[in-house]
Amino acid sequence: MTSSRKFIPMNIAVLTVSDSRSLVDDKSGDLLESRIHHGGHNIAKRAFVLDEQDEIVEILRGWIKNKSIDVILSTGGTGLTGRDVTVEAHKQVYEKEIEAFGTIFSIVSMEKIGTSAIQSRACAGVASGTYLFALPGSPSACKDAWDEILVAQFDYRHLPCNFVELLPRLDEYQRRK
């Protein structure tokens, strides 16, 4: 971290995917919202959707089109069961996958929960100048993803590099056309 750079807040949308919870008892979404605010960022949108791939894709695509949203964090639906379709929905909209996110998340998880980390399919990507992250539905997994990875990458002062400084260049291919 360097003090010569000024903090730049990100506009972050939170999407909870679940068949068993609602916004009223959404501990993971609440945790992310709290961490986002505490980190100096803005909540751009917050929504809840059932584990339905088409509905998840529709929300992701709508939010990607909204140029006031820099980042989309979804929580839930990243496991192995038949209803877990968030990863498939995310990959349907990615232009580029951030493959190292899943690897780093697995390393962080392995330190916390041992070999149970193998059951997560957390992933990340980029689409139309927007970062997208699919996090597991457990509050502890969301905490680990934010505290161990995302809080630094969403801080322009974090060196040697971070997601904030890349944001203006994510959709540069569209400007070349």
Side-chain angles (χ1 to χ4, degrees):
M1 191 111 40
T2 179
S3 60
S4 65
R5 289 182 166 191
K6 287 185 128 187
F7 181 79
I8 299 172
M10 303 283 278
N11 296 315
I12 304 173
V14 177
L15 177 64
T16 299
V17 180
S18 179
D19 283 340
S20 60
R21 286 177 286 156
S22 68
L23 279 176
V24 175
D25 60 353
D26 179 15
K27 292 178 184 173
S28 294
D30 291 343
L31 181 137
L32 288 170
E33 183 172 349
S34 173
R35 291 287 203 276
I36 290 164
H37 282 300
H38 182 71
H41 302 288
N42 306 307
I43 295 289
K45 296 263 186 196
R46 184 160 174 199
F48 179 89
V49 66
L50 296 174
D51 287 288
E52 296 292 341
Q53 187 170 340
D54 292 342
E55 292 178 30
I56 298 166
V57 167
E58 183 178 337
I59 291 171
L60 294 177
R61 286 192 172 141
W63 285 0
I64 288 165
K65 288 178 186 174
N66 183 337
K67 291 304 166 193
S68 68
I69 296 175
D70 302 316
V71 179
I72 299 169
L73 301 179
S74 68
T75 174
T78 63
L80 301 173
T81 71
R83 294 290 297 156
D84 292 323
V85 295
T86 302
V87 172
E88 289 74 17
H90 270 250
K91 290 186 177 188
Q92 199 172 327
V93 301
Y94 290 167
E95 293 164 0
K96 294 183 179 185
E97 190 167 355
I98 306 171
E99 295 176 13
F101 175 77
T103 302
I104 293 172
F105 182 79
S106 293
I107 292 167
V108 168
S109 295
M110 182 75 178
E111 292 172 1
K112 310 275 179 160
I113 62 172
T115 60
S116 294
I118 199 168
Q119 295 183 27
S120 173
R121 298 185 305 138
C123 64
V126 175
S128 293
T130 305
Y131 290 109
L132 298 99
F133 296 85
L135 309 177
S138 88
S140 61
C142 290
K143 177 185 176 298
D144 293 343
W146 182 268
D147 292 354
E148 304 291 332
I149 305 167
L150 298 177
V151 71
Q153 283 298 301
F154 294 157
D155 192 331
Y156 183 61
R157 302 166 297 182
H158 180 77
L159 296 175
C161 57
N162 58 75
F163 288 140
V164 181
E165 63 192 354
L166 294 176
L167 190 61
R169 297 180 49 215
L170 292 180
D171 62 355
E172 65 190 358
Y173 71 94
Q174 292 176 335
R175 293 189 298 259
R176 284 190 224 134
K177 293 179 181 180

